[in-house]
Amino acid sequence: MDIFRSMELHGYGDLYLRRDDSVGLRAIIAVHDTTLGPALGGCRMIAYPTEIAAVEDALRLARGMTYKAALAGLSHGGGKSVILRPQAIPNRKALFQAFGRFIEDVGRYITAEDSGTGIEDMEAVRTVTKHVTGVSPENGGSGDPSPFTALGVRRGIEACAKYKLGRGDIEGLRVLVQGVGHVGYHLCRELASVGAHLTVADVDDTKAKRAADEFGAAIAQTDEVFGLEADVLAPCALGSGLNDATVPWLRVPIVAGAANNQLAEQRHGDLLHDRGILYAPDYAINAGGLINVAHEAKGYVEAESRAQVMRISETITEIAERSARTGTATHRVADAIVHERLTAGRRAG
Ligand code: NAD
């Protein structure tokens, strides 16, 4: 891969690299766009097949954060960081402190936890820079973002049910939840509390069983969940679930879930639109966790964060209405709204 070519394709932006042999740090910070405010996005520490794959991941993810923040109405741009997971980590705290110094030097990127990093790591970062969120509640942090992501997804499902099915509430709504991990579990709790009928599927039997025990959910096989009849399919597992093997067989009027990058390709969003299925764009409906850490960046007040997460329903309704008015698929409408906001921000700035 040609790095500058890839930056061009993703519409960049700045890319920062740091190597600190004393602690085994090899890290990348990608700052995609800061038109609307400082870049915000999590730090991944996973093993990559190549260094270029890590750069590509950071570029792709940071761009996604620009879109998510803009659509959520946040005063933040998109950034993401990647630490190439070392073979051995003799001193994890020192590693993250070195990473924190990198963030401090960059100065326009705020980090948070992501795959392979956790609250303790963010606490270590916090000892050297204030450009960090996802620290523990005792230190002014907002804790686990998953319940907020789940709340936003519930609000998105409510908006879809109202728009598509004319329902004022979701009591008795039949929802298929694919993946009952951090977000899926809390989503089940949210939906069960307002009387939805749940069917869950997870490759991990113990997680599916927990949802069945706690929320009365029925359990489906993971390979059948995309073909079951219901009112809503909520993908909450991995990305690319909406693809050639699933979209033609869906028997739901609504797809609305937490997973990132649900569409294997953009054309699958068009296919959903053509089939008359209302798709809540992933980065619109799953922004609750990001909204929550954005509140942390400015001094955390949970009630204010919750109130903003609740308004995800308004974003989803706006997208659905504009999609119907213009005959454009919802994922394209969401992108158009982001472009309009960034253009307006550039003019104002
Ligand atoms: P998680 O790893 O805790 O949960 C994912 C669950 O999906 C696991 O229980 C796993 O066993 C299950 N799973 C994996 N493959 C599956 C398959 N083929 N069929 C059924 N189940 C399968 O992750 P999470 O934090 O709950 O995130 C879920 C999704 O939501 C991810 O795509 C993530 O990127 C996205 N997301 C999460 C947050 C957040 O706040 N955690 C915010 C925004 C987006």
Side-chain angles (χ1 to χ4, degrees):
M1 184 196 73
D2 176 339
I3 290 181
F4 283 104
R5 175 78 185 124
S6 186
M7 287 174 76
E8 188 185 330
L9 287 177
H10 290 296
Y12 266 76
D14 298 320
L15 188 65
Y16 304 85
L17 304 178
R18 170 76 47 105
R19 178 182 148 272
D20 183 340
D21 262 357
S22 68
V23 291
L25 178 75
R26 287 183 301 158
I28 301 158
I29 294 177
V31 174
H32 177 257
D33 189 295
T34 52
T35 305
L36 302 175
L40 176 63
C43 168
R44 253 185 199 189
M45 185 169 75
I46 57 177
Y48 287 92
T50 63
E51 292 175 7
I52 291 299
V55 169
E56 181 67 26
D57 203 28
L59 290 173
R60 191 178 54 80
L61 292 166
R63 181 176 184 276
M65 298 308 290
T66 297
Y67 278 63
K68 199 183 284 200
L71 198 57
L74 300 174
S75 303
H76 282 286
K80 205 87 183 183
S81 53
V82 164
I83 298 177
L84 285 85
R85 197 172 72 206
Q87 295 280 356
I89 308 176
N91 187 339
R92 193 167 173 118
K93 185 174 180 192
L95 179 76
F96 278 90
Q97 285 176 322
F99 175 61
R101 286 191 289 277
F102 180 24
I103 292 173
E104 182 67 12
D105 290 344
V106 169
R108 50 203 283 270
Y109 163 69
I110 302 167
T111 198
E113 56 189 275
D114 199 287
S115 311
T117 62
I119 286 186
E120 277 190 16
D121 301 324
M122 296 307 121
E123 292 290 349
V125 171
R126 196 175 74 97
T127 61
V128 291
T129 179
K130 61 181 189 331
H131 301 307
V132 55
T133 61
V135 297
S136 63
E138 302 85 67
N139 291 320
S142 59
D144 179 9
S146 309
F148 291 86
T149 305
L151 172 64
V153 175
R154 187 198 99 199
R155 294 291 290 163
I157 288 174
E158 285 170 350
C160 290
K162 186 165 186 195
Y163 185 83
K164 185 80 181 170
L165 308 175
R167 297 180 62 129
D169 61 49
I170 58 174
E171 194 177 348
L173 196 79
R174 297 165 304 158
V175 185
L176 307 168
V177 183
Q178 184 226 15
V180 275
H182 287 98
V183 181
Y185 171 80
H186 288 291
L187 177 63
C188 287
R189 183 178 43 73
E190 290 279 348
L191 294 173
S193 73
V194 286
H197 290 169
L198 303 173
T199 300
V200 301
D202 198 297
V203 286
D204 183 338
D205 290 343
T206 55
K207 290 185 181 162
K209 191 167 177 318
R210 180 176 64 164
D213 291 345
E214 292 188 26
F215 311 118
I219 297 178
Q221 298 303 312
T222 52
D223 54 1
E224 70 175 11
V225 67
F226 280 88
L228 294 179
E229 196 201 338
D231 299 309
V232 180
L233 169 69
C236 298
L238 307 176
S240 301
L242 302 170
N243 54 46
D244 287 333
T246 57
V247 174
W249 311 107
L250 294 180
R251 291 161 68 204
V252 289
I254 295 165
V255 175
N260 276 314
N261 305 316
Q262 289 174 38
L263 300 172
E265 295 172 38
Q266 293 292 297
R267 66 184 174 83
H268 295 112
D270 298 328
L271 195 54
L272 286 166
H273 180 74
D274 293 344
R275 287 205 55 207
I277 297 171
L278 176 57
Y279 167 62
D282 44 17
Y283 69 86
I285 193 170
N286 73 12
L290 178 66
I291 292 170
N292 201 45
V293 293
H295 276 264
E296 185 178 332
K298 64 178 185 184
Y300 190 60
V301 180
E302 183 178 333
E304 289 175 8
S305 174
R306 268 188 86 80
Q308 192 173 359
V309 174
M310 295 285 281
R311 292 201 293 277
I312 284 178
S313 55
E314 295 169 19
T315 307
I316 299 298
T317 303
E318 180 190 347
I319 292 169
E321 285 174 352
R322 185 157 153 182
S323 168
R325 213 170 46 243
T326 60
T328 310
T330 50
H331 67 299
R332 298 192 188 278
V333 170
D335 286 356
I337 294 172
V338 169
H339 292 151
E340 287 160 14
R341 289 186 183 170
L342 292 176
T343 304
R346 281 184 198 115
R347 286 207 188 104

Short mmCIF file of all heavy atoms in Angstrom, two decimals, residues 68 145-146 149 178-183 201-204 207 222 236-238 258-260 286, ligand 1:
data_model
loop_
_atom_site.label_atom_id
_atom_site.label_comp_id
_atom_site.label_asym_id
_atom_site.label_seq_id
_atom_site.Cartn_x
_atom_site.Cartn_y
_atom_site.Cartn_z
N LYS A 68 -19.00 9.95 12.48
CA LYS A 68 -19.87 9.68 13.64
C LYS A 68 -20.05 10.94 14.49
O LYS A 68 -21.16 11.26 14.91
CB LYS A 68 -19.27 8.55 14.47
CG LYS A 68 -20.27 7.89 15.39
CD LYS A 68 -19.64 6.82 16.25
CE LYS A 68 -19.37 5.54 15.51
NZ LYS A 68 -19.22 4.38 16.43
N PRO A 145 -18.65 2.60 28.06
CA PRO A 145 -19.58 3.29 27.15
C PRO A 145 -20.74 2.42 26.66
O PRO A 145 -21.74 2.94 26.14
CB PRO A 145 -18.68 3.67 25.96
CG PRO A 145 -17.59 2.66 25.97
CD PRO A 145 -17.39 2.25 27.41
N SER A 146 -20.64 1.09 26.83
CA SER A 146 -21.62 0.19 26.21
C SER A 146 -23.08 0.49 26.59
O SER A 146 -23.95 0.45 25.72
CB SER A 146 -21.31 -1.26 26.55
OG SER A 146 -19.98 -1.56 26.27
N THR A 149 -24.20 3.30 24.45
CA THR A 149 -24.39 2.86 23.06
C THR A 149 -25.73 2.14 22.93
O THR A 149 -26.50 2.39 22.01
CB THR A 149 -23.23 1.94 22.62
OG1 THR A 149 -22.00 2.62 22.84
CG2 THR A 149 -23.36 1.56 21.16
N GLN A 178 -28.46 -9.90 17.16
CA GLN A 178 -27.33 -10.76 16.77
C GLN A 178 -26.10 -10.30 17.53
O GLN A 178 -25.57 -9.23 17.28
CB GLN A 178 -27.07 -10.66 15.26
CG GLN A 178 -25.97 -11.61 14.81
CD GLN A 178 -24.95 -10.98 13.88
OE1 GLN A 178 -24.87 -9.77 13.75
NE2 GLN A 178 -24.18 -11.81 13.20
N GLY A 179 -25.64 -11.09 18.49
CA GLY A 179 -24.49 -10.71 19.31
C GLY A 179 -24.95 -10.06 20.60
O GLY A 179 -25.47 -8.95 20.60
N VAL A 180 -24.79 -10.79 21.72
CA VAL A 180 -25.19 -10.23 23.02
C VAL A 180 -23.97 -10.09 23.92
O VAL A 180 -23.90 -10.63 25.02
CB VAL A 180 -26.33 -11.03 23.69
CG1 VAL A 180 -27.66 -10.57 23.16
CG2 VAL A 180 -26.19 -12.54 23.49
N GLY A 181 -22.98 -9.35 23.41
CA GLY A 181 -21.79 -9.01 24.18
C GLY A 181 -22.08 -7.75 24.98
O GLY A 181 -23.19 -7.56 25.49
N HIS A 182 -21.09 -6.85 25.05
CA HIS A 182 -21.26 -5.65 25.87
C HIS A 182 -22.50 -4.85 25.49
O HIS A 182 -23.36 -4.58 26.32
CB HIS A 182 -20.01 -4.76 25.75
CG HIS A 182 -18.84 -5.32 26.47
ND1 HIS A 182 -17.86 -6.04 25.85
CD2 HIS A 182 -18.52 -5.28 27.78
CE1 HIS A 182 -16.96 -6.42 26.74
NE2 HIS A 182 -17.34 -5.98 27.93
N VAL A 183 -22.60 -4.47 24.21
CA VAL A 183 -23.73 -3.62 23.81
C VAL A 183 -25.01 -4.43 23.69
O VAL A 183 -26.07 -4.02 24.18
CB VAL A 183 -23.44 -2.91 22.47
CG1 VAL A 183 -24.61 -2.02 22.10
CG2 VAL A 183 -22.17 -2.08 22.55
N ALA A 201 -28.98 -14.34 19.29
CA ALA A 201 -28.06 -15.35 18.74
C ALA A 201 -26.64 -14.90 19.05
O ALA A 201 -26.30 -13.73 18.87
CB ALA A 201 -28.24 -15.45 17.23
N ASP A 202 -25.84 -15.83 19.56
CA ASP A 202 -24.44 -15.49 19.84
C ASP A 202 -23.60 -16.75 19.68
O ASP A 202 -24.05 -17.84 20.06
CB ASP A 202 -24.30 -14.93 21.28
CG ASP A 202 -22.99 -14.18 21.47
OD1 ASP A 202 -21.92 -14.82 21.35
OD2 ASP A 202 -23.02 -12.96 21.71
N VAL A 203 -22.41 -16.61 19.12
CA VAL A 203 -21.52 -17.76 18.98
C VAL A 203 -21.10 -18.30 20.34
O VAL A 203 -20.71 -19.45 20.47
CB VAL A 203 -20.25 -17.42 18.15
CG1 VAL A 203 -20.59 -17.28 16.68
CG2 VAL A 203 -19.56 -16.17 18.66
N ASP A 204 -21.21 -17.45 21.35
CA ASP A 204 -20.89 -17.86 22.72
C ASP A 204 -22.20 -18.24 23.42
O ASP A 204 -23.02 -17.38 23.77
CB ASP A 204 -20.20 -16.67 23.43
CG ASP A 204 -19.76 -17.02 24.84
OD1 ASP A 204 -20.32 -17.97 25.42
OD2 ASP A 204 -18.88 -16.32 25.36
N LYS A 207 -23.41 -16.51 26.66
CA LYS A 207 -23.98 -15.16 26.56
C LYS A 207 -25.44 -15.21 26.09
O LYS A 207 -26.28 -14.47 26.58
CB LYS A 207 -23.13 -14.31 25.62
CG LYS A 207 -21.78 -13.98 26.21
CD LYS A 207 -21.01 -13.04 25.32
CE LYS A 207 -19.64 -12.74 25.92
NZ LYS A 207 -18.72 -12.21 24.94
N THR A 222 -26.88 -18.99 15.23
CA THR A 222 -26.24 -17.81 14.63
C THR A 222 -26.38 -17.78 13.11
O THR A 222 -26.43 -16.72 12.51
CB THR A 222 -24.74 -17.77 14.99
OG1 THR A 222 -24.16 -19.02 14.66
CG2 THR A 222 -24.53 -17.48 16.45
N CYS A 236 -25.46 -6.70 16.39
CA CYS A 236 -24.61 -6.17 17.47
C CYS A 236 -23.37 -7.03 17.64
O CYS A 236 -22.84 -7.16 18.75
CB CYS A 236 -25.39 -6.11 18.79
SG CYS A 236 -26.80 -5.01 18.74
N ALA A 237 -22.93 -7.67 16.56
CA ALA A 237 -21.72 -8.51 16.64
C ALA A 237 -20.61 -7.83 15.85
O ALA A 237 -20.22 -6.71 16.17
CB ALA A 237 -22.03 -9.91 16.14
N LEU A 238 -20.15 -8.47 14.80
CA LEU A 238 -19.05 -7.91 14.02
C LEU A 238 -19.58 -7.17 12.80
O LEU A 238 -20.78 -7.19 12.52
CB LEU A 238 -18.10 -9.04 13.58
CG LEU A 238 -17.61 -9.94 14.71
CD1 LEU A 238 -16.77 -11.08 14.16
CD2 LEU A 238 -16.80 -9.11 15.72
N ALA A 258 -26.11 -2.05 16.69
CA ALA A 258 -24.92 -1.32 17.16
C ALA A 258 -23.65 -1.57 16.36
O ALA A 258 -22.72 -0.77 16.43
CB ALA A 258 -24.64 -1.70 18.61
N ALA A 259 -23.58 -2.69 15.64
CA ALA A 259 -22.29 -3.06 15.05
C ALA A 259 -21.76 -1.97 14.12
O ALA A 259 -22.54 -1.28 13.45
CB ALA A 259 -22.44 -4.37 14.28
N ASN A 260 -20.45 -1.82 14.12
CA ASN A 260 -19.80 -0.88 13.19
C ASN A 260 -19.69 -1.53 11.82
O ASN A 260 -19.59 -2.75 11.71
CB ASN A 260 -18.39 -0.55 13.69
CG ASN A 260 -18.42 0.57 14.73
OD1 ASN A 260 -19.10 1.58 14.56
ND2 ASN A 260 -17.68 0.38 15.81
N ASN A 286 -25.24 4.12 16.49
CA ASN A 286 -24.37 3.58 17.56
C ASN A 286 -23.45 4.64 18.18
O ASN A 286 -22.44 4.32 18.78
CB ASN A 286 -23.57 2.36 17.07
CG ASN A 286 -22.45 2.72 16.10
OD1 ASN A 286 -22.09 3.89 15.93
ND2 ASN A 286 -21.88 1.71 15.46
P1 NAD B 1 -18.43 -7.57 22.22
O1 NAD B 1 -17.23 -8.26 21.68
O2 NAD B 1 -18.58 -7.39 23.67
O3 NAD B 1 -19.75 -8.35 21.70
C1 NAD B 1 -19.87 -8.95 20.44
C2 NAD B 1 -20.65 -10.24 20.64
O4 NAD B 1 -20.90 -10.80 19.35
C3 NAD B 1 -19.90 -11.30 21.44
O5 NAD B 1 -20.73 -11.79 22.47
C4 NAD B 1 -19.57 -12.38 20.41
O6 NAD B 1 -19.55 -13.68 20.99
C5 NAD B 1 -20.71 -12.21 19.44
N1 NAD B 1 -20.47 -12.68 18.08
C6 NAD B 1 -19.32 -12.67 17.35
N2 NAD B 1 -19.54 -13.20 16.13
C7 NAD B 1 -20.84 -13.55 16.09
C8 NAD B 1 -21.67 -14.14 15.10
N3 NAD B 1 -21.20 -14.49 13.90
N4 NAD B 1 -22.97 -14.37 15.40
C9 NAD B 1 -23.48 -14.03 16.61
N5 NAD B 1 -22.72 -13.47 17.59
C10 NAD B 1 -21.44 -13.24 17.32
O7 NAD B 1 -18.51 -6.19 21.44
P2 NAD B 1 -19.41 -4.93 21.81
O8 NAD B 1 -18.60 -3.93 22.55
O9 NAD B 1 -20.70 -5.39 22.37
O10 NAD B 1 -19.64 -4.31 20.35
C11 NAD B 1 -20.54 -4.93 19.45
C12 NAD B 1 -20.50 -4.18 18.12
O11 NAD B 1 -20.90 -2.82 18.34
C13 NAD B 1 -19.11 -4.09 17.48
O12 NAD B 1 -19.27 -4.10 16.09
C14 NAD B 1 -18.59 -2.75 17.94
O13 NAD B 1 -17.63 -2.23 17.05
C15 NAD B 1 -19.87 -1.94 17.91
N6 NAD B 1 -19.87 -0.77 18.79
C16 NAD B 1 -19.64 -0.92 20.13
C17 NAD B 1 -19.67 0.21 20.96
C18 NAD B 1 -19.48 0.08 22.45
O14 NAD B 1 -19.83 1.03 23.17
N7 NAD B 1 -18.99 -1.04 22.94
C19 NAD B 1 -19.90 1.48 20.41
C20 NAD B 1 -20.14 1.59 19.03
C21 NAD B 1 -20.12 0.46 18.24
#
